[in-house]
Amino acid sequence: MKKKTQVIDHLAHPLLIIFSFLLFACHNGIDQQHAIGSAATAEAIALNEPEPIQTIPLERRLIKEGTISFETNDLSETAKLIGQAIKKYNAYIASETENNYSESLNRTIVVRVNAKQFDAFIGDVAKGVNHFETKNIQVKDVTEEFVDIQARLKTKKELEQRYRTLLQRAAKVTEILEIEKQLAEVRAEIESVEGRLRYLANQSTYSTLSITYYKAVPKQIAFGQKFKQGLSNGWQNFVWFTVGLINIWPFLLLMVIAMFFARRWWRKRKTRQRMDASTN
């Protein structure tokens, strides 16, 4: 009996070691599966989460317009300075006028310049100017209108494409005519929106600056100019009066003939009255 018990003890020890090893392996397997499951769950959650919204910086659309006026001692030198600034900033002249008043000689030019160089251009033009008679700079933000028009244009074009698709599938003449009518209306709206969009793009890309510079005229010269202008106006009035008389010469001739016969009749009447009076 004692020998049998010893045999059982010898067998139980290895079995206990094997059972412990199996239990440890199962526990590690469960932990690994749990870790793998947790990683897969985390990955699935990460994939299902919405991507963060990336905000695209909005380009601001600003319309800049300005008006400046100042006095100068040399019109030619100022014109040369402005011309150099126009060439430097790749601007262009939209309009140019010159007026000779009795007390001043005025020149006005309207320049279109890139909006990003607007302030620098004004600085170059105003070099040497001590005092501005007028300086008015206005900035209008049209970003919201620009974005709204772009969205409307996109919607209109999508609608146009749907009409074109329907037109290809239409079989009846009445359907074709109706779709073509709607398509023409949408196309007109698209062209109108595109025109407004181009205008805003141009006005925000190129700023407008009106430059007026003048030179005062001395009073003596002003009087001489007035006298000269008066002679010129008098001669022009005389010419127009002569031209007017020439245009109505038939009526003048009829008036002269009528006055001649009227005067002749009046003389005859007076003579007859005198003869009657002497007879009586």
Side-chain angles (χ1 to χ4, degrees):
M1 185 69 180
K2 184 176 180 182
K3 186 178 181 180
K4 186 177 181 180
T5 304
Q6 290 177 352
V7 172
I8 293 172
D9 292 337
H10 285 293
L11 293 174
H13 185 68
L15 290 174
L16 181 60
I17 294 174
I18 294 171
F19 179 75
S20 299
F21 178 77
L22 292 175
L23 182 62
F24 178 76
C26 291
H27 184 268
N28 287 340
I30 293 172
D31 290 342
Q32 289 179 358
Q33 290 179 356
H34 183 268
I36 293 172
S38 300
T41 303
E43 184 178 359
I45 292 173
L47 290 174
N48 292 329
E49 287 182 352
E51 295 183 359
I53 300 175
Q54 297 180 355
T55 57
I56 301 175
L58 185 63
E59 181 184 358
R60 303 207 68 80
R61 294 282 180 171
L62 303 176
I63 296 179
K64 295 182 180 180
E65 296 180 345
T67 301
I68 60 174
S69 63
F70 55 89
E71 183 179 1
T72 180
N73 295 325
D74 192 336
L75 294 175
S76 300
E77 188 65 26
T78 302
K80 181 179 178 181
L81 180 67
I82 295 174
Q84 291 175 350
I86 291 173
K87 184 177 181 180
K88 176 181 178 181
Y89 294 101
N90 294 322
Y92 67 91
I93 298 176
S95 65
E96 184 173 4
T97 58
E98 182 174 347
N99 296 309
N100 295 329
Y101 298 112
S102 59
E103 297 180 355
S104 64
L105 301 176
N106 291 36
R107 292 181 183 176
T108 300
I109 61 174
V110 178
V111 180
R112 302 295 309 284
V113 62
N114 191 290
K116 296 179 180 179
Q117 299 174 331
F118 182 72
D119 296 332
F121 177 76
I122 294 179
D124 282 10
V125 171
K127 284 182 179 179
V129 178
N130 298 323
H131 173 70
F132 286 98
E133 296 290 337
T134 303
K135 186 175 183 181
N136 183 19
I137 309 297
Q138 296 180 348
V139 180
K140 182 180 179 182
D141 191 343
V142 294
T143 307
E144 184 177 354
E145 182 182 0
F146 194 86
V147 173
D148 179 65
I149 291 177
Q150 284 182 323
R152 287 170 52 197
L153 182 60
K154 181 180 178 181
T155 303
K156 296 291 183 183
K157 287 187 174 181
E158 291 175 353
L159 180 60
E160 180 189 22
Q161 186 59 39
R162 288 198 294 269
Y163 275 130
R164 293 189 183 276
T165 303
L166 291 174
L167 184 61
Q168 292 175 356
R169 297 176 181 176
K172 297 181 180 180
V173 177
T174 54
E175 293 178 352
I176 294 175
L177 293 177
E178 182 63 26
I179 294 173
E180 287 181 345
K181 178 182 177 182
Q182 297 295 330
L183 190 60
E185 293 179 357
V186 173
R187 188 67 236 169
E189 293 176 358
I190 289 175
E191 292 176 356
S192 176
V193 173
E194 286 179 339
R196 179 62 180 174
L197 192 64
R198 285 193 297 269
Y199 172 78
L200 292 178
N202 178 268
Q203 292 296 313
S204 59
T205 302
Y206 283 90
S207 299
T208 305
L209 180 65
S210 177
I211 307 170
T212 299
Y213 57 101
Y214 66 93
K215 181 180 180 181
V217 177
K219 292 183 178 180
Q220 294 82 358
I221 299 177
F223 175 78
Q225 287 182 346
K226 288 182 179 180
F227 184 79
K228 183 179 179 180
Q229 187 67 32
L231 291 176
S232 176
N233 292 338
W235 173 253
Q236 290 180 0
N237 292 334
F238 175 75
V239 171
W240 282 112
F241 176 74
T242 305
V243 171
L245 291 178
I246 294 173
N247 288 329
I248 63 172
W249 72 266
F251 301 99
L252 295 176
L253 181 60
L254 290 175
M255 290 177 61
V256 171
I257 294 174
M259 291 177 63
F260 173 77
F261 283 106
R263 186 175 182 182
R264 187 175 180 182
W265 174 82
W266 179 259
R267 286 181 177 179
K268 287 183 177 181
R269 185 171 179 273
K270 284 290 186 181
T271 303
R272 190 179 296 110
Q273 288 178 354
R274 291 194 192 97
M275 291 176 63
D276 294 339
S278 60
T279 302
N280 296 329

